[in-house]
Every structure is written in structure tokens, then in C-alpha cells.
Amino acid sequence: MSKYENISCHHFIEINGYAYFSNWLYNAFFQTELKTGKTMFLGAFEMEMQDEFNIHWELLLQEDLIYFFPRRGRHIHVYSLRDHFVSAIEVRKASDAFFRIGEVIVKEKSIILLPMEKDAPIRRFDLSTHAITDITSTQNVDKNPPLSQHWPIFPEPQLLEKYQIGQADKFSWKEMPDGRWCAFLPTGRHLLWYAPKTRRIDAMPLVIENEAELDAYLQPLRQTCLCREETIEGVQLSAYEYLKTIMRYRRETGGLKEEKRFVGEKIWRALKI
């Protein structure tokens, strides 16, 4: 299975029955209607690599703004629920040494971004002005718990083992008004619903409303994936996924050039019929 067939997230913000989230395995912004699974591809997060994973991790809702804080990404992205616009605030310059954001701490009207790498800069983000500054001391910051400690704890973690749901520490659940809990399955395109009364976890497929738009966006990534023979979890690329990519490539180019015919040959030989 190609990672570009997956739609999932670490965390999401729920507003009026809709989930907003940054995709886990590649750069994409999605909105999902939780009761139906209907999902809209809202576009890519600007100024970030298209095939980067873990661009964001922590999220914060403030009034009508959703803040997406980076993990491997270089920017804080801010989505306005009022005008449906996404802005980007640079946290790490392209010329800076790479570092990841580990913890995000809210301190009054400021956000403190604590890096995972030793000797990487500690940065302060002003929620009012959206200015980024470096700070040298974290004095009094530790008194404020990071956002990672605010996410609700799933009430029956043993069920995740029973249903063989891995990477449970990498994604979060939310309790809905009807008492059920909701999350996004780490791999595939499914919502997970947990009902405390029945002690069941059910999966609901995500239905992409603008599939053609998402497909066009992912096409260059799929072609690169075929060239590198990238799959996730050691699962071979399916015939459907291969054909979806290669046939679209034929339509767009008018046929494969001689030097491109080797693309996917090893995959074809390895397919399980």
C-alpha cells in the first residue's frame, strides 16, 4: 500500500460535527464530517514539502482560528474559520539546521515551542501579533503543562490491542456529545468509533468528496513512489494502485516514453495475483 492512499492524523479539531486536520504521511489539509465520513481535501499547507510526513503535530483552537504547530515542518499554519484562508508563519528558516518541535506550551498569550534536538533554539510565538522570537530561558514555563497532556485518554486501551490497532500513542481520541469516542485510523482511510455501552470499535470509511482534485494533487507523488518502489509496513503495492498511477500517466503524456518503461516492472513481477 502506498502511503499516499492514507488519510489520517495525530490530532484533530472538532467544530460543529466537522474534524479539521493536517494529514499524517504527506502534506494535505482535510475536513471530515464525522457522522458520515464525507471528507474534503482543502489543499496543501504552503511553504512545506509535498511529500513530508509529520509536518504538524499539536493543534490549538483560539476563537475562529485553528493553529497547526509544526513537528518536522518549518511553519505554524493558521486556518481562519471565518474566511477559510490558511496563513504561514516561519518558525525555522530553510537555511537553519534541521530540528523538530517536541512540546508546545501555552503561556497566557504566548506559545513556547520546545525543540526535540539538543542545542536547537527555543522559540516564542505571540498569539496576538504572530511574531516569532527566540528565548534563552524557560523559567516558569514548566509550570504550564504542554498541549500533549491536554489530549483525552482513551478509556479502554486494552481494546486497541484486541482490534490490533497499532501506534496508539501517536494519535488521539475525542469524546463526542453523544458519549461515543472518535479517532482516525493511522493507516488507510477510516474513522474509528468507540461506543462505551457496547464496548465496540467500529470503522467508518472516509468518502472523498473531491477525489479527482486529490488524485491530481497526489499524482506526482505516486509516480515518484513507483520509481522508488516505496510502500508502507512492507505491504506490496496493489494492482489497482499501480494501474491508477500508470494509466493516468499514460493519459497525461500520451504514452510511456521508451526510457520510462522500466517504471514499475519490479512491482508487476512481485504482484500477488
Side-chain angles (χ1 to χ4, degrees):
M1 179 185 223
S2 163
K3 70 178 183 178
Y4 304 118
E5 302 305 313
N6 285 266
I7 296 176
S8 58
C9 62
H10 298 291
H11 304 298
F12 63 92
I13 293 292
E14 184 272 330
I15 301 169
N16 298 326
Y18 288 86
Y20 296 84
F21 60 93
S22 174
N23 197 51
W24 187 331
L25 292 174
Y26 59 86
N27 180 356
F29 181 25
F30 289 102
Q31 174 201 70
T32 296
E33 185 179 37
L34 294 174
K35 68 178 181 180
T36 65
K38 292 180 180 179
T39 298
M40 287 290 294
F41 168 57
L42 300 181
F45 289 97
E46 292 186 358
M47 312 298 290
E48 300 290 354
M49 292 189 296
Q50 194 176 359
D51 64 347
E52 183 65 278
F53 66 98
N54 289 349
I55 290 177
H56 306 104
W57 198 285
E58 302 292 353
L59 305 178
L60 179 67
L61 175 64
Q62 291 278 289
E63 298 178 351
D64 62 350
L65 298 176
I66 301 176
Y67 292 88
F68 295 83
F69 296 110
R71 170 60 59 93
R72 296 179 59 87
R74 296 194 303 108
H75 299 79
I76 295 170
H77 288 89
V78 187
Y79 177 65
S80 171
L81 294 161
R82 185 186 310 166
D83 58 21
H84 310 293
F85 179 76
V86 181
S87 56
I89 298 103
E90 190 175 58
V91 172
R92 173 171 55 86
K93 295 182 183 298
S95 58
D96 288 349
F98 174 79
F99 65 87
R100 298 162 295 171
I101 300 299
E103 294 287 5
V104 176
I105 296 175
V106 181
K107 182 175 172 55
E108 297 172 349
K109 285 294 183 178
S110 296
I111 302 293
I112 308 301
L113 304 172
L114 301 180
M116 298 177 72
E117 280 72 25
K118 185 180 178 182
D119 301 326
I122 301 169
R123 297 208 155 133
R124 174 184 176 273
F125 173 63
D126 191 302
L127 285 169
S128 300
T129 66
H130 287 185
I132 297 282
T133 54
D134 285 2
I135 61 174
T136 58
S137 173
T138 58
Q139 187 177 6
N140 297 324
V141 168
D142 294 338
K143 295 179 181 179
N144 299 69
L147 287 180
S148 62
Q149 294 184 20
H150 289 276
W151 298 109
I153 298 174
F154 185 64
E156 291 197 70
Q158 66 274 15
L159 279 183
L160 301 178
E161 278 189 46
K162 175 183 176 181
Y163 284 90
Q164 298 183 336
I165 298 172
Q167 305 186 73
D169 60 330
K170 300 295 192 299
F171 68 96
S172 66
W173 295 76
K174 286 188 181 297
E175 186 176 8
M176 297 295 112
D178 64 1
R180 295 187 301 161
W181 289 66
C182 182
F184 286 83
L185 189 68
T187 57
R189 294 184 176 187
H190 289 83
L191 272 174
L192 296 176
W193 283 102
Y194 161 70
K197 290 183 179 179
T198 61
R199 302 187 68 244
R200 283 174 49 91
I201 296 178
D202 294 304
M204 173 190 290
L206 299 181
V207 180
I208 312 305
E209 296 284 89
N210 54 343
E211 181 76 44
E213 185 179 347
L214 177 61
D215 192 48
Y217 170 73
L218 291 175
Q219 191 57 27
L221 298 179
R222 289 196 182 105
Q223 289 170 4
T224 301
C225 179
L226 282 175
C227 292
R228 296 175 182 170
E229 299 184 32
E230 293 177 354
T231 58
I232 61 170
E233 296 182 350
V235 180
Q236 292 178 337
L237 199 67
S238 71
Y240 168 75
E241 291 170 22
Y242 178 84
L243 286 172
K244 185 176 181 180
T245 300
I246 210 67
M247 292 307 293
R248 188 178 183 91
Y249 184 78
R250 279 183 177 273
R251 289 196 300 271
E252 293 176 352
T253 63
L256 292 174
K257 295 180 181 179
E258 184 67 30
E259 63 269 23
K260 295 293 185 180
R261 287 181 182 166
F262 69 89
V263 175
E265 286 182 359
K266 292 182 180 178
I267 297 175
W268 272 117
R269 290 197 294 269
L271 285 175
K272 294 181 179 180
I273 307 300

